[in-house]
């Protein structure tokens, strides 16, 4: 009986350790082995409804809902960034030509990091042509510099992170009234296989930006959302 009693805790401890090890591996294993699945409008709508489900009234939640008409066709993972933008922005040449407002952009592209912003700017060369692109991220660039830049010149496309874009909007450095397209870098994964909405800080900042002004503009029909 004594020997049995002594061996039981050992077995339990060993099995618990194994279970913990299995649990740790499970998340990355799923990410590695799961086939890439392109994001669709319902994914963003579900994310918003989950985020606001606990602390908003029924009326408030209704005001934050987005209809399918607010969305552009999502990327089916076959496009390069330039080919995707060409497909969803058929009237781009006209919009670009007519845009003369300072402190604003026609298209906003939101992604998870400064490095990813630079990658997207390089990969949109075939689409942007002679359009002026402004970098809207925090790394190595002071917000005052970006505000001065936006105030002095006319830019067509802004590419950056949600935190810095939100700060620029709050400080009246960036106006969204002329914005027609907002593209979320939805499907791209970093080295840890995380999409932008898998990173808590980026997810919160993106939702805060959407709630602050984008959702209202989408519901009014002046802004269209795209998931790349």
């Amino acid at each position: 009986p004594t020997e049995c009693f002594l061996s039981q805790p050992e077995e339990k401890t060993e099995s618990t350790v194994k279970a913990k090890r299995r649990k740790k591996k499970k998340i990355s294993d799923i990410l590695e082995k799961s086939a890439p699945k392109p994001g669709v409008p319902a994914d963003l709508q579900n994310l918003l409804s989950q985020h606001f489900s606990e602390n908003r009234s029924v009326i408030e939640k209704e005001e934050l809902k987005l209809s399918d008409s607010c969305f552009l066709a999502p990327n089916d993972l076959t496009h390069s960034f330039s080919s995707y933008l060409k497909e969803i922005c058929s009237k781009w040449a006209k919009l670009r030509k007519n845009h003369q407002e300072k402190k604003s952009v026609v298209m906003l592209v939101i992604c998870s990091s400064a490095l990813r912003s630079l990658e997207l700017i390089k990969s949109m060369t075939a689409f942007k042509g002679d359009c002026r692109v402004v970098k809207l991220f925090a790394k190595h660039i002071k917000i005052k510099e970006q505000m001065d830049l936006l105030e002095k010149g006319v830019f067509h496309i802004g590419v950056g992170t949600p935190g810095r874009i939100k700060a620029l909007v709050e400080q009246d450095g960036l106006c969204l009234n002329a914005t027609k397209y907002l593209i979320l870098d939805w499907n791209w994964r970093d080295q840890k296989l995380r999409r932008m909405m898998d990173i808590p800080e980026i997810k919160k900042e993106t939702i805060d930006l959407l709630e602050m002004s984008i959702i209202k503009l989408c519901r009014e029909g002046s802004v269209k959302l795209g998931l790349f």
Side-chain angles (χ1 to χ4, degrees):
T2 308
E3 286 177 6
C4 291
F5 176 77
L6 287 170
S7 63
Q8 282 174 353
E10 286 175 13
E11 285 175 11
K12 191 176 180 182
T13 306
E14 195 175 329
S15 64
T16 305
V17 170
K18 282 181 181 176
K20 282 181 180 177
R21 282 177 187 163
R22 279 199 298 273
K23 194 174 182 182
K24 281 182 181 177
K25 286 181 182 178
K26 195 174 178 183
I27 297 167
S28 58
D29 284 347
I30 288 170
L31 287 170
E32 283 176 16
K33 292 175 183 176
S34 60
K37 187 181 176 185
V40 293
D43 294 334
L44 178 57
Q45 299 202 59
N46 291 336
L47 192 77
L48 291 171
S49 62
Q50 286 170 14
H51 183 80
F52 296 121
S53 62
E54 294 180 3
N55 55 0
R56 301 297 161 96
S57 67
V58 176
I59 296 169
E60 286 173 324
K61 281 188 278 189
E62 197 63 35
E63 288 175 351
L64 294 167
K65 275 187 180 178
L66 292 167
S67 66
D68 290 340
S69 63
C70 296
F71 291 88
L72 299 157
N75 177 25
D76 59 5
L77 303 184
T78 63
H79 285 283
S80 67
F81 195 39
S82 278
S83 70
Y84 175 68
L85 295 179
K86 283 178 182 178
E87 183 177 282
I88 61 171
C89 307
S90 57
K91 298 178 182 177
W92 180 252
K94 186 180 178 182
L95 288 169
R96 178 189 70 180
K97 187 179 177 182
N98 294 340
H99 179 64
Q100 300 296 331
E101 293 182 43
K102 295 178 180 179
K103 292 174 65 175
S104 67
V105 292
V106 182
M107 179 187 293
L108 258 182
V109 181
I110 299 176
C111 51
S112 57
S113 68
L115 190 60
R116 178 60 179 163
S117 298
L118 295 173
E119 286 175 7
L120 287 174
I121 290 169
K122 285 179 184 175
S123 65
M124 68 163 70
T125 304
F127 169 78
K128 72 182 180 68
D130 59 355
C131 288
R132 296 191 71 194
V133 180
V134 60
K135 299 167 188 171
L136 302 176
F137 49 78
K139 195 170 186 179
H140 306 313
I141 308 175
K142 293 178 180 177
I143 193 166
K144 183 68 169 63
E145 291 173 21
Q146 288 165 335
M147 290 172 76
D148 291 343
L149 203 61
L150 286 161
E151 196 167 359
K152 289 173 185 174
V154 174
F155 292 90
H156 304 93
I157 303 171
V159 185
T161 50
R164 176 50 62 92
I165 292 170
K166 178 173 169 279
L168 284 164
V169 173
E170 286 174 333
Q171 296 181 39
D172 197 33
L174 177 66
C175 177
L176 299 176
N177 291 341
T179 303
K180 302 297 179 189
Y181 302 104
L182 185 133
I183 312 299
L184 295 173
D185 187 29
W186 188 273
N187 297 301
W188 182 78
R189 294 180 183 271
D190 64 11
Q191 288 182 331
K192 295 181 180 178
L193 302 176
R194 300 172 302 176
R195 295 167 304 173
M196 63 181 290
M197 291 303 191
D198 295 326
I199 304 168
E201 185 183 355
I202 300 298
K203 175 184 170 183
K204 184 183 183 305
E205 288 172 342
T206 303
I207 291 174
D208 286 348
L209 176 62
L210 289 170
E211 183 191 8
M212 187 169 68
S213 49
I214 300 294
I215 289 175
K216 183 175 180 289
L217 293 170
C218 287
R219 286 169 66 92
E220 290 170 356
S222 62
V223 173
K224 295 285 185 183
L225 281 167
L227 305 181
F228 174 64

